[in-house]
Every structure is written in structure tokens, then in C-alpha cells.
């Protein structure tokens, strides 16, 4: 992904966050690439794991000037690349949803202990928001928010991220727990369940290829902040077209970001965040 880099949890990360802060960015979301993987994602809840160290160094350096959001999942940390624990049952591999909840709760708690302001569970496991809320509240982290990937589709648009994070499933796919792209109204069911379980912020992912779903969710749950995740494939398509001279990159990015906002998103997660912030500061819009 041209223009996107991975940073170690040291001064290089601090310098990047400082540059982003000076550019007007006030919140970041962290994804980790661990030094080791296993079948139970133990590196994801390691107190000295890559995310835990990254959160600590950012909060030590910036205090409350930067809101730190942590992606909470197992796919980057498991040897099999799935978003939950896998068991072999009746001749095939299946996701053990209930056992997975225990691991997700441990990961979320370790991230909160490190100083994360918002936990963002992305696994789409049934009941994951409640499991995390119970774990956080039980440990005294009542004020740590949950931004749930409530409406996450089984999309081809995640490909570049999976390459960068080495998180492709070793077998099968994620259609058993992520949503069918043909189904819009299931989004309301998933969002409602997450609200009932304690989510503070909802999310639709991907973003600009699911503008209708963003509007649908916002219309039905207007009182809840709604995030939209402009994912790696959406970013990469714009980049590729711009590199080949087929579109004007800045105009395309601003048009798409405006469309996501117009559809109903209150927050936009995007690899173009610094570019958009810089263009706004410069007064260079459409």
C-alpha cells in the first residue's frame, strides 16, 4: 500500500504520532503484528505485546492529547489467521464462538490495562461486546469505551491489509462469522445486538462501497455515534488509479470522504487521514 508504513513501538512511532498530531489528528487506531503466533493468540494479550507496548509509549508521550483506539481481534496473532479459536469437529474446522469470547475478553482487558481509551472488537463473534464489557467493568475500567465493528462484511476489500499484516486465513474463509455483502438489513440486527450488549460506538466496514448501509444504520440508531472504516482495498484502488493517472487523487479522496460523511458517518477511519487533515489546513478542497 503506497504511502502506508508499519512502525515499531519506539521513537519512530512517537515521531509519526507527533507529526499526525501537529497535522490536526487527535485519535488513532492501532493494529499489531506480533513477534510470534500460536493457535490461541497468546501474543495478543501478552502484557509486553506489540499493541500493549505501543499504547503505553503513546500515552506516556501524549497523555490525553491523543485518543488511542485498539483493534481487538485474534486474526493477526493466530497461526491459523481466524478471528476466533478453531476446533476440529466432524471432519472440518469450525470456530468455537463461546471459547473465543474468553480470549477476546482477555485481549481487551490487557489493552485497557495498557491505557487504551477505546477498545474496538472486530471479530464479529456473537456476544463479544458483552464479554468485553463485563471484563472491563469487572476490572474497574468502566470508562473505557467499546467501538464495535458491529456491521462488518465479508469483503474482498480487506486484501491489502491481510497481506501487510500476514493475517490471511490458513484455511477456509471468514464468511461464517462476517456478514454477507448481499444482505443490508442484517446490519440492523447486528447493530441492535451490540447496543444491547453495551457498545458505545457502532461501525460499518467497509465504508464507501457500503454507503447505503451507513445511512440505514444511522437512520435506525441516530443517537449512537457511527464510525465508518474506509478499508485497505478502497484506499488501494484510489492509489492505483491515481498512480496510473486515471483520476485526480485529492479530488477523489475528498469526494469519497464527503460521501461517507453525507451517508451518516460521525467518524471516519481512513488511511488518508493525514492527507485529508493537511488539505483541510491548507484550505485546498474540491
Amino acid at each position: 500500500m503506497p504511502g502506508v508504513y508499519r512502525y515499531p513501538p519506539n521513537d519512530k512511532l512517537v515521531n509519526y504520532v507527533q507529526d499526525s498530531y501537529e497535522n490536526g489528528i487527535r485519535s488513532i487506531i492501532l493494529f499489531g503484528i506480533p513477534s510470534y503466533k500460536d493457535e490461541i493468540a497468546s501474543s495478543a494479550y501478552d502484557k509486553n505485546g506489540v499493541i500493549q507496548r505501543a499504547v503505553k509509549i503513546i500515552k506516556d508521550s501524549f497523555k490525553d492529547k491523543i485518543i488511542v483506539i485498539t483493534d481487538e481481534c485474534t486474526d493477526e496473532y493466530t497461526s491459523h489467521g481466524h478471528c476466533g479459536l478453531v476446533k476440529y469437529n466432524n471432519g472440518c474446522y469450525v470456530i468455537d464462538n463461546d471459547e473465543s469470547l474468553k480470549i477476546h475478553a482477555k485481549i481487551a482487558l490487557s489493552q485497557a490495562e495498557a491505557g487504551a481509551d477505546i477498545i474496538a472488537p472486530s471479530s464479529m463473534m456473537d456476544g463479544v461486546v458483552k464479554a468485553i464489557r463485563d471484563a472491563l467493568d469487572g476490572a474497574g475500567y468502566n470508562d473505557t469505551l467499546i467501538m464495535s465493528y458491529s456491521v462488518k462484511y465479508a469483503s474482498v476489500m480487506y486484501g491489502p491489509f491481510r497481506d501487510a499484516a500476514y493475517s490471511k486465513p490458513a484455511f477456509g474463509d471468514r464468511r461464517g462469522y462476517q456478514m454477507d455483502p448481499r444482505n443490508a438489513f442484517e446490519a440492523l440486527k447486528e447493530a441492535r445486538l451490540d447496543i444491547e450488549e453495551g457498545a458505545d460506538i457502532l461501525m460499518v466496514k467497509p465504508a464507501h462501497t457500503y454507503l447505503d448501509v451507513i445511512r440505514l444504520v444511522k437512520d435506525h440508531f441516530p443517537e449512537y455515534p457511527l464510525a465508518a472504516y474506509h478499508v485497505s482495498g478502497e484506499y488501494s484502488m484510489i492509489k492505483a488509479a491515481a498512480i496510473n493517472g486515471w483520476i485526480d487523487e485529492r479530488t477523489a479522496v475528498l469526494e469519497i470522504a464527503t460521501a461517507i460523511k453525507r451517508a451518516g458517518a460521525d467518524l471516519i477511519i481512513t488511511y488518508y487521514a493525514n492527507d485529508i487533515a493537511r488539505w483541510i489546513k491548507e484550505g485546498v478542497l474540491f
Side-chain angles (χ1 to χ4, degrees):
M1 295 170 60
V4 179
Y5 305 94
R6 295 175 296 201
Y7 294 90
N10 57 26
D11 288 347
K12 292 183 179 180
L13 176 62
V14 172
N15 291 338
Y16 174 73
V17 175
Q18 180 65 41
D19 290 343
S20 299
Y21 180 81
E22 292 174 358
N23 201 22
I25 301 296
R26 295 295 180 267
S27 57
I28 60 172
I29 184 166
L30 299 177
F31 297 81
I33 300 176
S35 58
Y36 67 94
K37 301 186 180 190
D38 57 29
E39 292 187 354
I40 59 171
S42 61
S43 59
Y45 52 85
D46 186 334
K47 293 184 182 297
N48 294 309
V50 62
I51 287 294
Q52 289 76 6
R53 286 184 287 131
V55 172
K56 288 175 183 176
I57 195 171
I58 292 170
K59 297 306 286 188
D60 285 347
S61 300
F62 297 94
K63 310 302 181 195
D64 292 332
K65 293 193 296 183
I66 291 286
I67 295 172
V68 177
I69 308 165
T70 50
D71 178 79
E72 185 285 306
C73 200
T74 61
D75 57 334
E76 295 140 76
Y77 305 90
T78 52
S79 52
H80 49 71
H82 278 284
C83 298
L85 301 185
V86 174
K87 64 181 180 182
Y88 195 69
N89 189 25
N90 294 327
C92 62
Y93 291 102
V94 295
I95 300 297
D96 190 335
N97 190 102
D98 291 351
E99 285 300 312
S100 299
L101 298 184
K102 300 173 185 177
I103 298 297
H104 288 296
K106 289 180 69 173
I107 297 170
L109 186 56
S110 74
Q111 294 174 346
E113 290 171 344
D117 300 295
I118 302 175
I119 308 296
S122 61
S123 66
M124 289 293 287
M125 296 291 105
D126 292 339
V128 71
V129 172
K130 184 179 187 304
I132 290 174
R133 186 73 271 162
D134 288 348
L136 294 177
D137 290 353
Y141 293 98
N142 308 72
D143 294 331
T144 302
L145 302 184
I146 297 176
M147 179 174 69
S148 179
Y149 288 59
S150 305
V151 182
K152 181 179 179 180
Y153 284 90
S155 173
V156 71
M157 297 294 174
Y158 310 145
F161 174 88
R162 290 176 181 172
D163 287 340
Y166 315 119
S167 62
K168 287 183 178 180
F171 49 83
D173 55 44
R174 295 175 183 156
R175 289 182 293 177
Y177 45 93
Q178 294 179 359
M179 290 174 54
D180 188 330
R182 297 167 294 183
N183 192 334
F185 285 95
E186 187 181 3
L188 300 180
K189 170 189 171 184
E190 295 289 353
R192 185 177 295 109
L193 286 171
D194 281 359
I195 289 170
E196 291 172 355
E197 292 177 17
D200 300 286
I201 304 169
L202 306 175
M203 185 196 297
V204 173
K205 179 184 180 184
H208 95 245
T209 44
Y210 289 84
L211 296 177
D212 60 320
V213 178
I214 295 172
R215 172 47 56 193
L216 186 66
V217 173
K218 192 60 181 177
D219 282 348
H220 281 77
F221 306 104
E223 68 275 24
Y224 281 85
L226 179 60
Y229 192 156
H230 191 242
V231 300
S232 60
E234 295 172 315
Y235 170 90
S236 297
M237 287 194 299
I238 300 170
K239 271 292 182 185
I243 289 171
N244 281 283
W246 298 334
I247 59 172
D248 178 77
E249 183 176 22
R250 185 192 70 214
T251 304
V253 171
L254 292 173
E255 182 177 341
I256 291 167
T258 300
I260 296 169
K261 178 68 175 176
R262 188 180 65 238
D266 300 295
L267 305 88
I268 301 175
I269 300 171
T270 174
Y271 297 92
Y272 274 113
N274 267 301
D275 294 301
I276 293 171
R278 185 176 67 255
W279 293 330
I280 291 172
K281 283 179 64 178
E282 293 171 351
V284 181
L285 299 176
F286 291 100

